[in-house]
Amino acid sequence: MYLVWLQFIIATIMILAVSGFLAKSADVIAFKTGLGRTFVGVLLLASATSLPELATGISSVTAVGAPDLAAGDAFGSNLVNLLIIGLMDIRWHKGPLLNSVSINLTLVAVLSILIISIPVIAISAHHAGNIFSTWIISPFSIFLLLAFMFSLYLIFRNERNSGDDDGDGNYENETLFKSSAIYVFSATVIVCSAIWLAFTGEEIAKEMGWEASFVGTQFLALSTSLPELAASFAALRILAPELAISNVLGSNLFNMGFVLWADDLAQPTESFWAVVSQTHVATASIAIAMTAVVIIGLVSRNRSRPSKFLTYESAALIALYLLSNFMIFKLG
């Protein structure tokens, strides 16, 4: 047991050590290619930091036979990711964080709500009746993947047409090749460490008797969301808040649109949506409410901080996260 905890700590340290390199290289790529921080954050940063949810989900379904643990990790990670925005807002002292980024991020947040809504409909529909029971994969999952891919296209088009500044001009001495190499190396280290972290977290959950329980789900969600936390705060340190916010919102798109699709594909017998608990509908509903708070913060411009430590949106995000934990505990 001590050895498992030691592995968990080592994996955590490795993620924290290279997260700054990942964030900076992604920012340079956004600047050099002109793709923009929002699209690069959603595509490159979010995909690299969200692969632990994919590994945990597939292993929970295939190796452990616990699809509820896979769903709980994905939905719980959404909540942790949105909590990260509230925590970053506390750390950011240049006014409300969501006023310091482009309003174009509203599109990513709106698409996140739409993508999160699809699993809610899928779980409700499959539990309402024995539909699509003979299908290898649910049509809801197919639609979820298509919606995810279309969302990436919309974000790309919106970023290209917005004309926003893609960087602060401090990367003239950086090369695209060098930054791409650093990104690949950093992403590889983070992905391998995070997958290691996810598996050791899963082992800890089993050893402690937390498997598929409230504590196990929350512990795994926190474990697999550590790359998002580290990369987002690293982006703040280089004054790239758009990269940080798009990473978090993009991770939620990836969790719902790709990870849950892969979980359903990995489910060997009956539909993934039919065997997971309807408790996840409540979790998804809180995630939608938290994303709505982010949207309100993005569109309500020219505000000042009401407090040195908190803004209205950071307080609301933290409160909703705590409420979600209480609800899941009571429902579970």
Side-chain angles (χ1 to χ4, degrees):
M1 189 61 189
Y2 292 113
L3 182 60
V4 176
W5 275 106
L6 179 62
Q7 294 179 60
F8 186 86
I9 293 169
I10 292 173
T12 299
I13 292 172
M14 291 176 66
I15 290 170
L16 295 175
V18 301
S19 60
F21 296 103
L22 182 73
K24 183 179 178 181
S25 61
D27 201 36
V28 175
I29 292 171
F31 178 73
K32 292 293 183 179
T33 61
L35 291 174
R37 281 172 168 166
T38 300
F39 183 71
V40 168
V42 170
L43 182 66
L44 296 184
L45 209 55
S47 61
T49 57
S50 294
L51 284 178
E53 284 87 354
L54 179 64
T56 300
I58 292 177
S59 67
S60 296
V61 170
T62 57
V64 183
D68 242 357
L69 198 62
D73 179 44
F75 286 109
S77 293
N78 285 352
L79 297 175
V80 176
N81 289 341
L82 291 162
L83 174 67
I84 290 171
I85 296 179
L87 298 178
M88 289 192 296
D89 198 9
I90 296 173
R91 172 68 174 79
W92 186 258
H93 298 299
K94 302 177 184 295
L97 176 63
L98 295 174
N99 270 195
S100 302
V101 299
S102 171
I103 199 170
N104 288 323
L105 277 169
T106 306
L107 174 64
V108 186
V110 170
L111 290 171
S112 296
I113 289 179
L114 295 176
I115 293 291
I116 294 171
S117 300
I118 297 173
V120 172
I121 298 171
I123 293 172
S124 302
H126 277 273
H127 279 267
N130 192 25
I131 59 174
F132 310 118
S133 59
T134 59
W135 289 50
I136 297 176
I137 186 169
S138 169
F140 289 104
S141 298
I142 297 171
F143 181 67
L144 191 59
L145 179 64
L146 293 175
F148 169 66
M149 295 173 66
F150 186 63
S151 295
L152 292 180
Y153 169 75
L154 289 179
I155 293 167
F156 172 75
R157 286 293 302 270
N158 184 62
E159 187 79 356
R160 297 292 290 175
N161 295 332
S162 66
D164 285 347
D165 185 24
D166 296 319
D168 56 12
N170 294 328
Y171 296 134
E172 284 82 359
N173 296 327
E174 302 287 346
T175 66
L176 182 60
F177 176 80
K178 175 184 174 182
S179 298
S180 299
I182 293 174
Y183 169 82
V184 171
F185 174 77
S186 302
T188 301
V189 172
I190 281 187
V191 168
C192 292
S193 300
I195 291 174
W196 186 22
L197 185 77
F199 277 103
T200 55
E202 195 170 0
E203 185 65 28
I204 289 171
K206 287 191 292 184
E207 291 291 334
M208 299 295 289
W210 297 341
E211 185 181 358
S213 69
F214 165 78
V215 178
T217 297
Q218 295 303 304
F219 182 75
L220 279 182
L222 288 168
S223 301
T224 55
S225 292
L226 181 62
E228 284 90 348
L229 177 67
S232 295
F233 272 88
L236 281 193
R237 288 196 297 272
I238 62 172
L239 303 180
E242 284 189 8
L243 196 65
I245 301 294
S246 59
N247 170 44
V248 172
L249 295 176
S251 293
N252 285 2
L253 286 174
F254 191 88
N255 288 344
M256 297 292 98
F258 192 83
V259 172
L260 290 180
W261 167 81
D263 290 343
D264 188 13
L265 192 63
Q267 179 71 14
T269 53
E270 54 188 324
S271 172
F272 175 80
W273 306 109
V275 296
V276 299
S277 171
Q278 295 187 73
T279 302
H280 302 303
V281 173
T283 311
S285 300
I286 295 291
I288 290 172
M290 293 176 73
T291 309
V293 170
V294 173
I295 293 173
I296 294 171
L298 287 169
V299 300
S300 302
R301 314 299 285 185
N302 302 318
R303 294 175 292 112
S304 59
R305 296 178 72 93
S307 165
K308 180 181 179 181
F309 301 102
L310 290 175
T311 61
Y312 296 118
E313 50 266 38
S314 62
L317 289 171
I318 294 170
L320 283 169
Y321 177 78
L322 295 175
L323 175 63
S324 70
N325 279 267
F326 176 75
M327 286 178 55
I328 296 166
F329 177 75
K330 296 296 287 185
L331 291 172

